[in-house]
Short mmCIF file of all heavy atoms in Angstrom, two decimals:
data_model
loop_
_atom_site.label_atom_id
_atom_site.label_comp_id
_atom_site.label_asym_id
_atom_site.label_seq_id
_atom_site.Cartn_x
_atom_site.Cartn_y
_atom_site.Cartn_z
N LEU E 2058 6.04 10.80 -8.10
CA LEU E 2058 4.66 10.82 -8.40
C LEU E 2058 4.50 11.46 -9.75
O LEU E 2058 5.15 12.43 -10.10
CB LEU E 2058 3.84 11.52 -7.42
CG LEU E 2058 3.68 10.94 -6.05
CD1 LEU E 2058 3.12 11.96 -5.03
CD2 LEU E 2058 2.71 9.71 -6.14
N ILE E 2059 3.60 10.86 -10.58
CA ILE E 2059 3.38 11.45 -11.93
C ILE E 2059 1.88 11.52 -12.13
O ILE E 2059 1.16 10.55 -11.94
CB ILE E 2059 4.00 10.50 -13.06
CG1 ILE E 2059 5.41 10.25 -12.80
CG2 ILE E 2059 3.80 11.11 -14.40
CD1 ILE E 2059 6.08 9.19 -13.63
N TYR E 2060 1.38 12.72 -12.48
CA TYR E 2060 -0.07 12.89 -12.73
C TYR E 2060 -0.31 13.18 -14.21
O TYR E 2060 0.31 14.14 -14.76
CB TYR E 2060 -0.56 14.07 -11.88
CG TYR E 2060 -0.55 13.79 -10.40
CD1 TYR E 2060 0.13 14.56 -9.51
CD2 TYR E 2060 -1.20 12.67 -9.89
CE1 TYR E 2060 0.25 14.29 -8.17
CE2 TYR E 2060 -1.15 12.30 -8.51
CZ TYR E 2060 -0.42 13.16 -7.67
OH TYR E 2060 -0.37 12.89 -6.30
N LEU E 2061 -1.14 12.40 -14.79
CA LEU E 2061 -1.35 12.45 -16.23
C LEU E 2061 -2.85 12.74 -16.56
O LEU E 2061 -3.70 12.30 -15.81
CB LEU E 2061 -1.10 11.10 -16.94
CG LEU E 2061 0.25 10.39 -16.57
CD1 LEU E 2061 0.27 9.02 -17.25
CD2 LEU E 2061 1.43 11.20 -17.09
N PRO E 2062 -3.11 13.40 -17.67
CA PRO E 2062 -4.51 13.66 -18.05
C PRO E 2062 -5.26 12.38 -18.40
O PRO E 2062 -6.50 12.33 -18.28
CB PRO E 2062 -4.44 14.59 -19.31
CG PRO E 2062 -2.99 14.70 -19.66
CD PRO E 2062 -2.17 14.07 -18.65
N GLU E 2063 -4.47 11.37 -18.77
CA GLU E 2063 -5.08 10.09 -19.14
C GLU E 2063 -5.73 9.35 -17.87
O GLU E 2063 -6.51 8.49 -18.05
CB GLU E 2063 -4.12 9.13 -19.79
CG GLU E 2063 -3.78 9.52 -21.24
CD GLU E 2063 -2.69 10.61 -21.31
OE1 GLU E 2063 -2.30 11.03 -20.22
OE2 GLU E 2063 -2.41 10.98 -22.41
N ARG E 2064 -5.20 9.73 -16.69
CA ARG E 2064 -5.76 9.07 -15.49
C ARG E 2064 -6.28 10.10 -14.59
O ARG E 2064 -5.50 10.91 -14.08
CB ARG E 2064 -4.59 8.26 -14.81
CG ARG E 2064 -4.16 7.08 -15.68
CD ARG E 2064 -3.35 6.13 -14.80
NE ARG E 2064 -2.46 6.82 -13.87
CZ ARG E 2064 -1.77 6.13 -12.92
NH1 ARG E 2064 -1.93 4.80 -12.82
NH2 ARG E 2064 -0.96 6.81 -12.11
N GLU E 2065 -7.48 10.10 -14.35
CA GLU E 2065 -8.17 11.05 -13.49
C GLU E 2065 -7.52 11.09 -12.13
O GLU E 2065 -7.24 9.99 -11.56
CB GLU E 2065 -9.68 10.69 -13.41
CG GLU E 2065 -10.47 11.74 -12.80
CD GLU E 2065 -11.82 11.18 -12.38
OE1 GLU E 2065 -12.10 9.95 -12.69
OE2 GLU E 2065 -12.69 11.92 -11.80
N ILE E 2066 -7.32 12.21 -11.49
CA ILE E 2066 -6.88 12.22 -10.11
C ILE E 2066 -8.08 12.23 -9.20
O ILE E 2066 -8.92 13.06 -9.40
CB ILE E 2066 -6.03 13.54 -9.86
CG1 ILE E 2066 -4.92 13.65 -10.86
CG2 ILE E 2066 -5.38 13.53 -8.44
CD1 ILE E 2066 -4.14 14.98 -10.76
N THR E 2067 -8.09 11.37 -8.24
CA THR E 2067 -9.16 11.41 -7.26
C THR E 2067 -8.60 11.94 -5.93
O THR E 2067 -7.45 11.84 -5.71
CB THR E 2067 -9.78 9.97 -7.00
OG1 THR E 2067 -8.72 9.15 -6.40
CG2 THR E 2067 -10.21 9.39 -8.33
N LEU E 2068 -9.58 12.39 -5.15
CA LEU E 2068 -9.15 12.86 -3.83
C LEU E 2068 -8.49 11.81 -2.96
O LEU E 2068 -7.49 11.96 -2.31
CB LEU E 2068 -10.39 13.40 -3.09
CG LEU E 2068 -10.10 14.16 -1.81
CD1 LEU E 2068 -9.13 15.30 -1.96
CD2 LEU E 2068 -11.32 14.72 -1.14
N ASN E 2069 -9.05 10.58 -3.19
CA ASN E 2069 -8.48 9.43 -2.47
C ASN E 2069 -7.05 9.20 -2.86
O ASN E 2069 -6.17 9.02 -2.01
CB ASN E 2069 -9.34 8.26 -2.75
CG ASN E 2069 -9.09 7.12 -1.78
OD1 ASN E 2069 -8.75 7.43 -0.65
ND2 ASN E 2069 -9.15 5.92 -2.22
N ASP E 2070 -6.84 9.24 -4.22
CA ASP E 2070 -5.41 9.01 -4.70
C ASP E 2070 -4.46 10.05 -4.07
O ASP E 2070 -3.39 9.73 -3.60
CB ASP E 2070 -5.19 9.31 -6.23
CG ASP E 2070 -5.99 8.26 -7.07
OD1 ASP E 2070 -6.23 7.21 -6.54
OD2 ASP E 2070 -6.24 8.61 -8.21
N LEU E 2071 -4.94 11.30 -4.05
CA LEU E 2071 -4.04 12.35 -3.56
C LEU E 2071 -3.72 12.07 -2.05
O LEU E 2071 -2.61 12.36 -1.67
CB LEU E 2071 -4.86 13.69 -3.71
CG LEU E 2071 -4.07 14.93 -3.94
CD1 LEU E 2071 -3.07 14.76 -5.06
CD2 LEU E 2071 -4.97 16.08 -4.35
N CYS E 2072 -4.75 11.71 -1.28
CA CYS E 2072 -4.52 11.42 0.15
C CYS E 2072 -3.47 10.33 0.34
O CYS E 2072 -2.55 10.50 1.08
CB CYS E 2072 -5.77 11.01 0.82
SG CYS E 2072 -6.95 12.30 0.91
N VAL E 2073 -3.62 9.28 -0.51
CA VAL E 2073 -2.65 8.14 -0.38
C VAL E 2073 -1.30 8.65 -0.79
O VAL E 2073 -0.27 8.34 -0.12
CB VAL E 2073 -3.11 6.95 -1.33
CG1 VAL E 2073 -2.06 5.87 -1.39
CG2 VAL E 2073 -4.43 6.36 -0.85
N ASP E 2074 -1.19 9.37 -1.89
CA ASP E 2074 0.17 9.86 -2.34
C ASP E 2074 0.85 10.75 -1.31
O ASP E 2074 2.03 10.62 -1.03
CB ASP E 2074 -0.07 10.69 -3.64
CG ASP E 2074 -0.49 9.77 -4.81
OD1 ASP E 2074 -0.34 8.49 -4.69
OD2 ASP E 2074 -0.90 10.32 -5.90
N VAL E 2075 0.02 11.61 -0.68
CA VAL E 2075 0.59 12.49 0.30
C VAL E 2075 1.09 11.77 1.51
O VAL E 2075 2.19 11.87 1.98
CB VAL E 2075 -0.48 13.58 0.78
CG1 VAL E 2075 0.02 14.38 1.94
CG2 VAL E 2075 -0.78 14.53 -0.34
N ARG E 2076 0.24 10.78 1.88
CA ARG E 2076 0.69 9.97 3.02
C ARG E 2076 1.96 9.14 2.81
O ARG E 2076 2.86 9.12 3.53
CB ARG E 2076 -0.45 9.02 3.38
CG ARG E 2076 -0.64 8.86 4.90
CD ARG E 2076 -1.89 8.03 5.19
NE ARG E 2076 -3.05 8.70 4.79
CZ ARG E 2076 -4.10 8.08 4.13
NH1 ARG E 2076 -3.99 6.80 3.78
NH2 ARG E 2076 -5.21 8.73 3.83
N ASN E 2077 2.04 8.55 1.58
CA ASN E 2077 3.21 7.73 1.23
C ASN E 2077 4.41 8.57 1.20
O ASN E 2077 5.50 8.17 1.68
CB ASN E 2077 2.99 7.04 -0.13
CG ASN E 2077 2.03 5.89 0.07
OD1 ASN E 2077 1.72 5.41 1.13
ND2 ASN E 2077 1.54 5.43 -1.11
N LEU E 2078 4.37 9.76 0.57
CA LEU E 2078 5.52 10.55 0.39
C LEU E 2078 5.96 11.11 1.82
O LEU E 2078 7.21 11.08 2.12
CB LEU E 2078 5.26 11.68 -0.53
CG LEU E 2078 6.51 12.36 -1.18
CD1 LEU E 2078 7.34 11.32 -1.94
CD2 LEU E 2078 6.09 13.42 -2.18
N THR E 2079 4.97 11.43 2.60
CA THR E 2079 5.30 12.00 3.91
C THR E 2079 6.11 10.90 4.73
O THR E 2079 7.05 11.13 5.40
CB THR E 2079 4.04 12.30 4.67
OG1 THR E 2079 3.28 13.20 3.87
CG2 THR E 2079 4.30 13.06 6.04
N GLU E 2080 5.62 9.63 4.59
CA GLU E 2080 6.26 8.52 5.25
C GLU E 2080 7.69 8.41 4.84
O GLU E 2080 8.63 8.13 5.62
CB GLU E 2080 5.46 7.24 4.86
CG GLU E 2080 5.52 6.11 5.82
CD GLU E 2080 5.34 6.61 7.28
OE1 GLU E 2080 4.31 7.25 7.60
OE2 GLU E 2080 6.31 6.37 8.04
N ARG E 2081 7.93 8.61 3.53
CA ARG E 2081 9.29 8.41 2.99
C ARG E 2081 10.23 9.57 3.57
O ARG E 2081 11.40 9.37 3.81
CB ARG E 2081 9.26 8.39 1.54
CG ARG E 2081 8.64 7.12 1.03
CD ARG E 2081 8.42 7.09 -0.42
NE ARG E 2081 9.64 6.80 -1.13
CZ ARG E 2081 9.68 6.57 -2.49
NH1 ARG E 2081 8.52 6.60 -3.14
NH2 ARG E 2081 10.80 6.39 -3.11
N PHE E 2082 9.65 10.77 3.72
CA PHE E 2082 10.39 11.84 4.31
C PHE E 2082 10.75 11.54 5.73
O PHE E 2082 11.82 11.78 6.25
CB PHE E 2082 9.67 13.21 4.18
CG PHE E 2082 9.92 13.92 2.93
CD1 PHE E 2082 9.15 13.72 1.77
CD2 PHE E 2082 11.03 14.83 2.84
CE1 PHE E 2082 9.46 14.37 0.61
CE2 PHE E 2082 11.29 15.47 1.67
CZ PHE E 2082 10.49 15.22 0.52
N ARG E 2083 9.76 10.90 6.45
CA ARG E 2083 9.98 10.51 7.85
C ARG E 2083 11.14 9.58 7.92
O ARG E 2083 11.90 9.60 8.91
CB ARG E 2083 8.69 9.93 8.38
CG ARG E 2083 8.59 10.09 9.88
CD ARG E 2083 7.08 9.96 10.40
NE ARG E 2083 6.37 11.19 10.34
CZ ARG E 2083 5.15 11.29 9.78
NH1 ARG E 2083 4.51 10.21 9.29
NH2 ARG E 2083 4.53 12.40 9.78
N SER E 2084 11.29 8.68 6.89
CA SER E 2084 12.45 7.78 7.04
C SER E 2084 13.65 8.25 6.28
O SER E 2084 14.45 7.44 5.74
CB SER E 2084 12.03 6.36 6.60
OG SER E 2084 11.34 6.42 5.37
N GLY E 2085 13.77 9.57 6.14
CA GLY E 2085 15.10 10.10 5.71
C GLY E 2085 15.12 10.80 4.39
O GLY E 2085 16.16 11.36 3.96
N LYS E 2086 14.08 10.73 3.60
CA LYS E 2086 14.09 11.28 2.29
C LYS E 2086 14.26 12.75 2.40
O LYS E 2086 13.76 13.38 3.27
CB LYS E 2086 12.78 10.92 1.60
CG LYS E 2086 12.84 11.24 0.09
CD LYS E 2086 11.64 10.62 -0.59
CE LYS E 2086 11.69 10.73 -2.07
NZ LYS E 2086 12.97 10.29 -2.65
#
Side-chain angles (χ1 to χ4, degrees):
L2058 291 167
I2059 305 168
Y2060 295 121
L2061 311 174
E2063 286 82 358
R2064 292 200 316 175
E2065 191 195 357
I2066 307 174
T2067 66
L2068 187 57
N2069 196 33
D2070 291 340
L2071 211 50
C2072 292
V2073 171
D2074 292 346
V2075 170
R2076 216 172 299 131
N2077 285 345
L2078 200 56
T2079 308
E2080 206 43 58
R2081 293 172 76 173
F2082 271 90
R2083 207 161 273 133
S2084 47
K2086 193 167 186 52

